[in-house]
Amino acid sequence: MNWHLLSLLVFSPLLVAACLWCVPAKMVRWLTAVGMLLTLALSTAVLIAYDPAGPRFQLVEQAEWIAGLKVAYRFAIDGLSVLFPASTALLFLGALVASWRRDPVDSRLYFSLLLGLQSATLGIFCALDLLLFFVFWELTLIPVFFLLGRWSVTDGGPAAATRYFLIMLAGGVPLLIAFVIAGSSSAGFDLGALLTQPLPPGRQLVFFLLCLIGFGLKVPLVPLHTWLPQFALAGPGALTALLVGLKLGAFGLLRIAMPLAPAVAQDLHWLLAGLGTVSLLYGAVGMLAQSNLRVSMAYASICHVGLAVLGLASCSAQGVQGAVSLLLSFAVATGGAFLLLEFLRQRTGSTDIHALGGAARTMPLLATGFLICGLAGVGMPGTSSFPGEFLLILSALEHHTGAGMAALFGLSIAAAAFLSLYRKAFFGPVTRPEVAQAEDLRPREWAVLVILIGMVVVIGVYPGPWIDLLRPAAEAWSAGLSR
């Protein structure tokens, strides 16, 4: 018996969210913190309990749900997903710190929605039934809609929330159709069984293309990316950090779309490689045209998730190891950068480079932290993104040489764009009173910064344990596509 560890992990944030409505307003933040620390402890327990040499799926929980439709309550974890709950829990803790000074009047609803989003996100990583996965996938839309619409930092927040909700709701339609196609087989909606019984060739093509649309909207892949820059500009910093740092769409491609349609994934490798390369180059060039750091980092995320998709297109164990490593790095590097930008916005009222000149003079700790997270985001050697990007580049050069060369060019542009924006925002003379009077990181924020930088450096300098943990599952994933 595994003490229903995954169920506790997924549903404990919901239990805490319910308890928030039974305590005084002044205790809401602290109870939320306790709940998120509990989630971090449970995710660490899952990581410790996982045995890389054991069965593919572990900590399995199963109960009959809708017997007539072959739908069951199934939770399990494997080598491709075991690290995501811990990174998710850590990023949500950082989002809590970024929201710590929120007005107590509306904090109860805000933190309840944040905990609800955490629960739904963890469910996506743990679900082993396609319909259960879809339920959690759609449940993420509700808290995001209200968090963005009510607590936006610009006047365009409600419009951005409506646009995001409608786009993602529309993206759920092809996903549901694809899952129904998969569930019509003898294996039902059991993801574990479907991985050993691929769909017939005719169904694989329709299934894969539908999943590519549904997951591609969330990745986001160009040209399905148009919602992200507006979201990054209008959304509260904590929410933007969560949405950009947790690449659920790429996880869906990795977990469901490619393994359940292996023949088509290999036949259409050129399509995945092309979409990944176009997204990479578009994101890199898009950074050059931005003056707002939040929007620029959103384009940077498009660039680097394009590299992850390019690596997945190789259908190799090396490519999937690199993709998972890079997706995990997003949580600490890109997510950390957005959290620091929220700290900056709270102090100066803006993240536009024209309103921030000389910010490093008054906020050296914040400036240093953002530089390290930003360099990690562009794959600086010695940071958390470098091992994943190195594996992805090697994989791309081996299987799609032209796209690999284009990726190297695009990554160079992204690095140059980041350094240019950083110089304009943090160096030079201080010209605005808001910047001159701004205080540096507070102890609570400094603690988040130390943890983030520590993980960025440790993973970058010593990636061996994480890469080794991923290897068996990555090899099984690649072998499944080659079957």
Side-chain angles (χ1 to χ4, degrees):
M1 298 295 292
N2 56 49
W3 300 97
H4 301 289
L5 190 57
L6 294 181
S7 293
L8 287 172
L9 172 66
V10 172
F11 294 112
S12 60
L14 281 182
L15 179 61
V16 175
C19 293
L20 294 184
W21 297 88
C22 304
V23 300
K26 63 181 180 181
M27 294 180 59
V28 166
R29 294 180 303 179
W30 295 102
L31 183 56
T32 304
V34 171
M36 289 191 176
L37 286 171
L38 174 62
T39 303
L40 180 60
L42 290 171
S43 63
T44 304
V46 168
L47 184 58
I48 293 172
Y50 178 75
D51 179 12
R56 179 170 184 176
F57 292 104
Q58 301 178 28
L59 301 179
V60 178
E61 301 177 26
Q62 181 168 325
E64 187 176 283
W65 186 12
I66 310 175
L69 298 178
K70 300 179 182 178
V71 178
Y73 173 89
R74 294 187 186 93
F75 278 161
I77 211 80
D78 71 341
L80 298 181
S81 59
V82 68
L83 290 169
F84 284 102
S87 63
T88 299
L90 187 62
L91 186 55
F92 267 89
L93 266 175
L96 171 63
V97 174
S99 311
W100 193 260
R101 297 172 69 87
R102 183 159 302 282
D103 187 351
V105 173
D106 61 358
S107 63
R108 185 177 280 110
L109 177 60
Y110 179 90
F111 289 122
S112 295
L113 291 170
L114 201 62
L115 288 165
L117 179 60
Q118 183 180 37
S119 181
T121 303
L122 291 169
I124 289 174
F125 293 130
C126 298
L128 198 63
D129 183 276
L130 288 181
L131 191 57
L132 187 61
F133 177 96
F134 182 77
V135 169
F136 284 118
W137 181 270
E138 293 295 287
L139 283 177
T140 61
L141 300 184
I142 299 172
V144 171
F145 174 76
F146 286 105
L147 287 168
L148 176 58
R150 180 164 178 175
W151 288 281
S152 60
V153 297
T154 67
D155 294 337
T162 302
R163 183 182 183 188
Y164 172 82
F165 186 85
L166 293 177
I167 288 176
M168 293 304 158
L169 196 63
V173 174
L175 277 184
L176 181 58
I177 296 173
F179 291 173
V180 170
I181 292 173
S184 63
S185 67
S186 59
F189 293 91
D190 184 355
L191 181 57
L194 287 168
L195 290 174
T196 61
Q197 304 174 28
L199 299 173
R203 292 184 183 180
Q204 283 193 29
L205 178 60
V206 178
F207 175 85
F208 182 79
L209 292 177
L210 289 171
C211 285
L212 187 59
I213 295 172
F215 290 131
L217 278 167
K218 196 91 163 185
V219 170
L221 290 171
V222 174
L224 306 175
H225 69 287
T226 54
W227 59 269
L228 182 57
Q230 183 184 13
F231 191 110
L233 186 62
L239 179 63
T240 307
L242 294 171
L243 205 70
V244 177
L246 301 172
K247 291 299 183 183
L248 300 180
F251 179 79
L253 290 175
L254 170 73
R255 163 63 85 203
I256 294 175
M258 298 181 70
L260 298 192
V264 172
Q266 293 198 83
D267 292 342
L268 296 184
H269 66 91
W270 56 270
L271 177 59
L272 279 176
L275 289 172
T277 305
V278 169
S279 297
L280 192 156
L281 294 173
Y282 181 90
V285 174
M287 290 181 68
L288 295 172
Q290 306 307 316
S291 63
N292 191 289
L293 292 174
R294 289 158 64 99
V295 180
S296 176
M297 294 305 293
Y299 276 97
S301 75
I302 295 174
C303 171
H304 290 86
V305 82
L307 177 61
V309 174
L310 174 58
L312 290 176
S314 69
C315 300
S316 66
Q318 188 179 62
V320 75
Q321 280 180 284
V324 174
S325 298
L326 187 59
L327 294 179
L328 289 166
S329 178
F330 269 109
V332 294
T334 307
F338 272 99
L339 291 177
L340 289 166
L341 286 178
E342 174 61 11
F343 297 154
L344 181 65
R345 187 199 64 80
Q346 292 172 359
R347 287 159 169 77
T348 64
S350 175
T351 54
D352 194 281
I353 59 174
H354 301 302
L356 292 174
R361 294 177 180 269
T362 55
M363 296 171 282
L365 293 178
L366 193 154
T368 301
F370 183 71
L371 176 63
I372 294 174
C373 289
L375 291 177
V378 299
M380 180 76 175
T383 63
S384 57
S385 296
F386 178 73
E389 290 198 4
F390 182 70
L391 290 172
L392 289 168
I393 291 295
L394 289 179
S395 180
L397 290 174
E398 180 179 352
H399 296 89
H400 304 94
T401 305
M405 296 298 293
L408 287 172
F409 177 68
L411 292 175
S412 301
I413 294 176
F418 169 76
L419 291 175
S420 175
L421 288 167
Y422 183 84
R423 177 181 60 82
K424 294 175 182 177
F426 289 93
F427 294 154
V430 178
T431 57
R432 292 187 65 215
E434 292 85 351
V435 176
Q437 299 168 9
E439 62 174 322
D440 209 350
L441 295 179
R442 305 178 184 96
R444 191 179 298 111
E445 298 164 343
W446 169 240
V448 172
L449 178 62
V450 169
I451 294 172
L452 289 174
I453 292 179
M455 293 193 66
V456 164
V457 174
V458 169
I459 295 174
V461 173
Y462 188 52
W466 315 109
I467 300 298
D468 292 339
L469 181 64
L470 294 172
R471 182 174 290 114
E475 292 174 348
W477 185 90
S478 179
L481 292 188
S482 303
R483 190 172 48 240

